[in-house]
Amino acid sequence: QVQLVESGGGSVQAGGSLKLSCVYSGVHSNSMGWFRQAPGKEREGVAALFTSTPSTYYADSVKGRFTISHDNAKNTLYLQMNSLKPEDTAMYSCAVGSRGGNPLHPSYVHWGQGTQVTVSS
């Protein structure tokens, strides 16, 4: 049974930091990513990585502020978010198993339920 469980979301003021975690089980893949969806907007890719290379990919809007990482021993994917902005407010979800193509495209097989991030000005 595949499970992806996110944690670490919350409410912070602009300029603050949060670290999201995604613990996964029942799945083996070298492609993982973080995505977000704000109300009334489409889901967008935030960061992704291939554990085999390792290569990382970031949306332009988060480059230099967010860092994706992975702990293979703990089956955990992380997203360190610094210098948060109100426009970062969204539901953040992790995903495992890209179907190919752009790793920031939400064409992944397995998804978590998400964790809410709210940034106030």
Side-chain angles (χ1 to χ4, degrees):
Q1 182 180 0
V2 177
Q3 279 193 321
L4 284 72
V5 180
E6 301 96 335
S7 63
S11 298
V12 296
Q13 290 190 328
S17 298
L18 285 173
K19 186 173 185 178
L20 306 184
S21 299
C22 171
V23 180
Y24 59 90
S25 60
V27 59
H28 298 281
S29 175
N30 70 338
S31 57
M32 306 175 187
W34 285 98
F35 296 80
R36 67 186 181 188
Q37 188 167 20
K41 295 188 177 181
E42 292 187 354
R43 179 179 282 172
E44 64 169 340
V46 175
L49 63 75
F50 290 103
T51 60
S52 57
T53 20
S55 300
T56 56
Y57 306 83
Y58 296 95
D60 289 342
S61 58
V62 306
K63 281 181 182 176
R65 300 189 298 122
F66 290 12
T67 302
I68 189 172
S69 62
H70 174 252
D71 188 328
N72 191 52
K74 295 182 178 180
N75 282 2
T76 302
L77 182 69
Y78 301 101
L79 184 68
Q80 177 68 49
M81 305 186 295
N82 299 327
S83 301
L84 283 161
K85 304 175 181 180
E87 51 264 43
D88 294 320
T89 295
M91 180 69 75
Y92 284 71
S93 301
C94 63
V96 174
S98 173
R99 291 190 170 97
N102 183 353
L104 291 177
H105 189 275
S107 55
Y108 281 68
V109 177
H110 305 289
W111 291 85
Q113 291 297 310
T115 184
Q116 177 68 35
V117 172
T118 302
V119 184
S120 58
S121 58

